[in-house]
Amino acid sequence: MRYVVQHRKASYIKFLVVMLSIFVQGFLTLFVVNKLLSGEFFPEDIKNLVAGNPDIFLEGIETGQIVEKVHIELFLLSVVFLTVFSINLRLNIKDSHKITLSIFSFLNIWVYVLSFFLIKLYPAVFSNIYTISLSLLLTVISAVNLMNIIFFTAGKIK
Amino acid sequence: MKPAFLLVLMFALLFLGELLTAVYLYLDRYGFSVQKINQYIHGNPEMFIQKKSFTGLLEIHLPHFIAVSVMFFVIYHFFYFFPVKKLYFIAAGITFVFIFLNFAIPFVILTNENVAFTKIFTFLIFIGASVFAFVLSALFTLRKIYQKC
């Protein structure tokens, strides 16, 4: 980013960055929609899915299936994380804000991933932690992405 | 502290998580025995394991071809920020060759059971190169962060 934005055709690159950010926003929105529709968002839903529920004769998913889900989501979240925060590096804001936001999102990714596994052991606690970390993660990444779009459109970049 | 170097370190740690889940899935499906590899691809009626079809294997390996190469391109391109050495060219070259072989060999096993052992060999080199890439990027970044503090 550092080398292309300072290029004399910077306005073209800025336009591309804004387009990419809009698509990232679309991805994040669809990610939430997918989680809601597949019953993987709210604590009660994820608890039933992972740990099962004997009252309604529902079996939980196996560890292998959780690992497979985590393997795919970790890839997607890593790519989105790197895309959003590498664009964020060019913004004309304090470095301490960039560091705080990236560390917060990074920790939330790990809490989200680990709670996915731990729901099997302690469903009551970790299903809530799962929903909270996922909500926080998506909110922060979306906010940073929207901030990227606004700053790039307004030209407030280094 | 430069936020860019911190970002590299955090991505390297997410890459490590991706690597660990990949190892688990490999051990779960293929394992380190020729018999288990053949069983996964050619099926086993006694254990109710279905034989994999060409399209079935393609469904798994096609997304991996692009996802794994993108992931490795990202992790190896971070080395651009550090002194470039011949070793990185060799490591990146080996990694990309073995990414290809690791995902192409199951298709060969589908037609010839005798080459099943190569899956273990290619996977081990692929994982070795991945660990090398992770350790090096993490060490370089930590050193940079330490220097800037």
Side-chain angles (χ1 to χ4, degrees):
Chain A
M1 293 300 296
R2 181 174 171 176
Y3 303 101
V4 283
V5 171
Q6 288 169 356
H7 195 269
R8 59 195 160 94
K9 287 180 182 171
S11 59
Y12 173 63
I13 298 298
K14 269 191 253 174
F15 171 74
L16 289 182
V17 169
V18 171
M19 286 295 118
L20 175 68
S21 300
I22 290 169
F23 269 80
V24 168
Q25 201 58 45
F27 169 81
L28 292 168
T29 313
L30 290 173
F31 191 81
V32 176
V33 172
N34 180 44
K35 283 275 167 193
L36 284 168
L37 293 177
S38 56
E40 291 178 24
F41 193 86
F42 294 110
E44 202 58 38
D45 294 338
I46 193 71
K47 199 162 66 180
N48 285 342
L49 181 83
V50 177
N53 189 346
D55 298 338
I56 50 172
F57 307 104
L58 203 66
E59 263 188 61
I61 55 173
E62 287 172 15
T63 312
Q65 286 172 289
I66 301 175
V67 176
E68 204 175 328
K69 271 179 181 289
V70 165
H71 185 65
I72 297 166
E73 287 190 12
L74 202 55
F75 168 74
L76 294 173
L77 291 173
S78 309
V79 172
V80 169
F81 173 81
L82 192 68
T83 309
V84 170
F85 283 99
S86 54
I87 292 173
N88 189 253
L89 287 177
R90 305 303 312 154
L91 262 54
N92 212 356
I93 56 170
K94 277 185 185 174
D95 276 359
S96 59
H97 292 160
K98 293 174 191 172
I99 291 169
T100 312
L101 287 167
S102 59
I103 290 177
F104 185 77
S105 302
F106 172 75
L107 291 177
N108 261 308
I109 293 177
W110 281 109
V111 172
Y112 164 69
V113 164
L114 294 174
S115 60
F116 214 140
F117 289 103
L118 293 167
I119 290 170
K120 237 179 160 34
L121 301 172
Y122 308 102
V125 182
F126 285 99
S127 56
N128 288 307
I129 293 176
Y130 169 92
T131 305
I132 293 167
S133 60
L134 180 61
S135 310
L136 281 175
L137 171 69
L138 293 170
T139 309
V140 172
I141 292 191
S142 293
V144 172
N145 191 49
L146 286 171
M147 190 163 75
N148 291 347
I149 295 173
I150 294 165
F151 274 63
F152 263 80
T153 315
K156 289 178 183 171
I157 51 169
K158 285 179 187 171
Chain B
M1 191 199 307
K2 279 234 173 197
F5 291 117
L6 190 68
L7 204 59
V8 174
L9 181 66
M10 288 191 281
F11 184 79
L13 290 168
L14 290 172
F15 174 77
L16 180 69
E18 190 70 13
L19 210 63
L20 291 174
T21 52
V23 170
Y24 179 94
L25 290 171
Y26 175 85
L27 291 174
D28 192 39
R29 288 164 187 186
Y30 294 101
F32 287 119
S33 83
V34 172
Q35 193 195 350
K36 200 177 175 189
I37 293 169
N38 277 324
Q39 190 173 271
Y40 176 70
I41 293 177
H42 294 282
N44 186 346
E46 287 168 19
M47 296 177 78
F48 306 106
I49 299 171
Q50 270 194 322
K51 185 185 190 304
K52 292 273 174 298
S53 64
F54 184 82
T55 37
L57 280 179
L58 205 60
E59 209 172 290
I60 301 166
H61 292 95
L62 187 66
H64 277 97
F65 264 102
I66 190 71
V68 176
S69 49
V70 165
M71 208 72 175
F72 275 93
F73 169 77
V74 171
I75 206 93
Y76 274 114
H77 105 285
F78 288 143
F79 292 177
Y80 181 77
F81 300 108
F82 310 110
V84 178
K85 287 181 184 168
K86 255 187 191 169
L87 178 68
Y88 310 152
F89 279 93
I90 297 165
I94 289 173
T95 311
F96 278 97
V97 167
F98 279 88
I99 288 171
F100 176 78
L101 290 175
N102 190 46
F103 294 120
I105 274 169
F107 295 96
V108 184
I109 300 171
L110 199 62
T111 54
N112 184 1
E113 283 186 22
N114 298 326
V115 291
F117 72 96
T118 50
K119 178 72 184 165
I120 304 170
F121 170 69
T122 53
F123 181 77
L124 285 175
I125 294 180
F126 166 60
I127 287 298
S130 311
V131 171
F132 170 81
F134 163 74
V135 170
L136 221 58
S137 54
L139 282 178
F140 276 148
T141 326
L142 280 173
R143 202 174 65 180
K144 281 275 182 189
I145 291 170
Y146 179 74
Q147 282 172 352
K148 299 278 173 187
C149 277

